[in-house]
Amino acid sequence: MTPPRHPERLRAFIAALAELIDSHPPEADLLHRGGKLLGQLVRYDDWLPDEFAIADPTRYQQFLLHADSRQRFSIVSFVWGPGQSTPIHDHRVWGLIGMLRGAEYSQGYARSADGHLQREGAAIRLEPGDVETLSPRSNDIHQVNNAFDDKVSISIHVYGANIGAVKRAVYQPDGSEKLFISGYSNAYLPNIWDLSKENQA
Ligand code: FE
């Protein structure tokens, strides 16, 4: 595994997002401006360490890239093996999804009057560089899948909490929900704070 050429992109994104959150913007502004920052990050595919891009044949991977020291946000690389998908689920905090590699579909759901879940609109297809926003106020329930049956796709997710520890739900189409806590797939973090090589250059 070779180290990424531009680890500073992730570090700069973390710094810019923390600064944005420090200014306590309304959620809509946070999603708009945070989405632009994430869009700049996923425009380039030269910063994610290989260790955080490894698909598992049995299920999609959620690698923690960064957890804010005050748990105000977290950054996760979602690695989809060919044909893999999530159950229908919610988040209960704001979210940003930026496509880095390959493509994915996100299908929104809403509750109908009888409590069942119904598809809300068409699925959104995300291509590299695209960003989708999620809010508990408007669109918190969705199902996501790799757009490809024959290759890995990777998206970078940002959430307004330490998402691996948030108690949230997966849903059956009849609307019944089951609480879950996702955790993370990894046991280590990317070393974006070792500046020795960059400072030599
Ligand atoms: Fe999701």
Side-chain angles (χ1 to χ4, degrees), residues 78 86 89-91 97 134 140 142-144 157 159 168:
F78 265 63
T86 66
H89 65 276
D90 65 18
H91 313 83
I97 302 174
L134 298 167
D140 192 33
H142 72 169
Q143 180 172 35
V144 184
H157 297 214
Y159 301 97
R168 49 204 179 107

